Amino acid sequence: MTWELFAVFLGSSIRLATPLLLAGIGEMVSERAGVLNMSIEGMMLTAAFAAAVGSWATGDPMLGLLIGIIAVQPIALLQAVLSNTLRANQIVSGIGINILVLGATTLAYREIFGARSRAEIPGLAKIKPPLLGDIPVIGSAVFEQVWLLYAGIALIVATALVLRYTSIGIAIQAAGAEPKAVDKSGLSVTRIRYGCVLFAGFMASLSGAFLSIGDIHTFTEGMTRGAGYLAIASVIFGKWRIGGTVFASLLFGAATALQFQLPALGIAVPNALLIMLPYLLALLAVGGLVGRQLAPATLGEPYRR
Amino acid sequence: MNMASAPAEIVAEPLLSLSAITKRFGNFTALSDVSLDIRPGEIHCILGENGAGKSTLCNLIFGVHRPDGGSMRYRGASFQPSGPADSLAQGIAMVHQHFSLVPDMSVVDNVLLGRQRGLLNRAECARQLEKLAVDYGLPLDPFAKIEDLSVGERQRVEIVKCLIRDPSLFVLDEPTAVLLPDEIAALLDVCHRVASSGRAVVLVTHKLAEIKKIADRVTVLRGGRVVATSDKPAAEIDALVRAMIQGNVDTLDQSAASILGLEPVKHIGHGTENDNTPKTKVEALQIDGLTVRDYQGVTRLDNFTLTVDRGEIVGVAGVEGNGQSELTAVLAGMMTPSEGKIYLGDINLTAKSPKEITAAGVGIVPEDRHAVGCVTGMSLAENIYLNRLDEFTRFGFLQRSALEREAAALMQRFDVRARGPGALFSSLSGGNQQKAVLAREITLPNLTCLVAAQPTRGLDVGAVAAVYSHIRAACERGVAILLVSSELDELLTVADRIVVLYRGRIMGSCVADPDRREAIGAMMAGQPQ
């Protein structure tokens, strides 16, 4: 493999990992607080659609991104109400939301775009960081990315610091591991969990917007194609740690990137097999390579005083 | 408002006063017309049996529940906490019956939870912890993870969590249930120090020894009502107990009385009573080198070897979590041992299924009766014959009338009180559920061995006495009995011989003699004798 090809592979791995990374970190925070958001997939799809429509209608991708973020919050709020206040089964309610969103976005897409499908949509700009981007060969191939990725990295670092060094951080961890302790210390478990679900929604909306107006500048029906579920898998694979989740996202991203790289190298592997690869990895991860005992103790269980 | 009154009067006023408090859960009245005063500088004990409303009372004070009637006054002002946050802000701190600590966080983080906003200052908190350690004699490593601490140390974390808030009112809900004897002494010492600095301590307990030692005043609850109060509890202890259990202490089953600490424990185990009919030693249960390693490779039970003869009661003592659960789970066939053998007479029961073990004549009264001992959504009759339902089927159909007839007979024999054999099991009280489980296991047709784990947990005095007499009766019939309990008094009362488990090993064994209490306590703490 030549260096150029490797650099392209690295660059596209990062690009393909970005949605998983963004959504995965949000999901990790929510799961640490004890709420499992199966609806991350639906939230991403909503954001992808709303950001695309917003960007196309206003001509400004920044406004599109903003519209995407705003559009997801009601869904996140719905999930939060279902899983905390109404104490619904979190898996069933999440999947319900996903199916609803798939139908709603498909219908709305056909209504709005109709015959004009594949319309060119203004997308978010790419940036090249000053020093890294000037490295020969790999500079632009690896580091010239949509600015949302760099914003996301900053958000992830901030999240790590908040979890480690602030009172909110230990309250989030305690809400998932021992909610009674949170309640008895005078904090509100419900409020913490609502906040975390809304944060997961925010991160998922960045992720969804990246898919449509960051990566390919268009919207297609059901375009998330399970990326939300992969994000959940990367949280499990990453053992509910920031570093682990980032690593798992990159691994899944690289597995996806192989689809485009192997044919370019002239290695004849059926494409369908390669498309399966990240999902196969996720299956192995969730199916037992990672110990279950590492999950937050009350993950998926609504809190009852 | 009372706020305007003179300072001298405020000092004389109680710190907290409850008047005519009533609390209902659905149509069950947990507290009814409860009035009491807590004065600054006193240790006020709340005494009562299980279900008397003690925990409910604490939860009302701490703001977890809100009263349905009556009012509370705190520091001379009306007090209506809407949640723990309100009570904490007012200087009320509480140690709950069950620990609420985050296992994978450090001591410091657990203490800081809910106390600090924004950035955490762990170093400052560690310094405060060290100061408390000196002031109250509560040594702790601030940066140790909770999951690495012993039960006693976790209790210390719970106490430190409260003390660091410098509370005016310190509520402890049955804090000594899981502690070793010298840890209990240390805890009572902390209560003393808190009270002597002018703050008030509310201590909920059903152990009379503690009340004798420490209480300034006692309020006795029974059935959600205040039935007695005393300003001189040590002198009036008998009257208080009588009020608590509503009966004459003298007629109380002796073993149950000794559990309460009413009188010096006398050994009334089976062996000393029946000296005129010497038993021939017949080994029933043989456990040889039993070892259990969990999925992480941690050894939970380490080379456990024990023989229980027919007609003998062997007690397994130890602080909870030292391998008892694994031992009973393996004996019940719910867990596969990593090494070792189990024999019942000549029958090898190692790693057999629960069905085979039952068929061999081993009765199991499990530790957690709700999870594995019964099916709460089925009727009492179905539960009481759960392991023998086959005997009540004809052509594959369950003969309910026969089942309920037989069950009614068992209910009478074991004094299981319920609406009838068809009553839903979950509608029974804890004591009656336990009696039903015991009835099922003890009436196994070929019972040769009974394994009973924590058989009296959560039961009131009457039920405890009944459970003991059934266990003893089975022993008289020549059943080998293995009694696992974290209550040392229970073992000293009922067992012939005691082995002590510590971190999965047998630390030592001795005859069940109350004079050996200190030695057993030391073994429970991991010191070989």
Side-chain angles (χ1 to χ4, degrees), chain A residues 32 159 161-175, chain B residues 105 113 118 120:
Chain A
R32 284 296 279 277
T159 306
L161 293 175
V162 166
L163 282 179
R164 181 80 188 82
Y165 293 108
T166 70
S167 58
I168 300 169
I170 57 172
I172 288 171
Q173 295 171 45
Chain B
M105 288 191 346
L113 179 63
L120 298 172

Side-chain angles (χ1 to χ4, degrees), chain A residues 11 14 21 39 41 60 66 153 176 187 191 198 205 231 240 256 259 268 276 279 282 300:
Chain A
I14 293 174
L21 204 61
S39 56
E41 171 86 4
D60 182 353
L66 193 66
I153 290 172
L187 299 171
R191 208 179 290 175
L198 294 183
S205 62
W240 289 270
T256 316
Q259 286 169 37
M276 278 165 52
Y279 300 94

Side-chain angles (χ1 to χ4, degrees), chain A residues 108-152:
Chain A
Y109 175 75
R110 288 180 189 167
E111 283 298 313
I112 294 172
F113 291 95
R116 285 187 308 256
S117 64
R118 303 275 164 180
E120 181 64 19
I121 292 169
L124 298 168
K126 286 191 175 185
I127 57 167
K128 202 155 67 162
L131 285 171
L132 292 170
D134 298 335
I135 303 171
V137 185
I138 62 168
S140 25
V142 176
F143 295 106
E144 188 175 0
Q145 301 276 4
V146 177
W147 65 265
L148 197 54
L149 167 65
Y150 292 103

Side-chain angles (χ1 to χ4, degrees), chain A residues 164-165 167 178 181 184 186 305, chain B residues 85 100-101 116 118 120 122:
Chain A
R164 181 80 188 82
Y165 293 108
S167 58
E178 188 69 45
K184 286 167 183 172
R305 187 176 263 179
Chain B
S100 49
L101 298 168
Q116 209 170 44
L120 298 172
R122 294 188 168 99

Side-chain angles (χ1 to χ4, degrees), chain A residues 81-101:
Chain A
V81 170
L82 286 170
S83 28
N84 295 300
T85 309
L86 300 178
R87 302 190 176 110
N89 181 308
Q90 294 175 5
I91 293 174
V92 174
S93 62
I95 290 178
I97 289 176
N98 292 344
I99 295 171
L100 177 75
V101 166

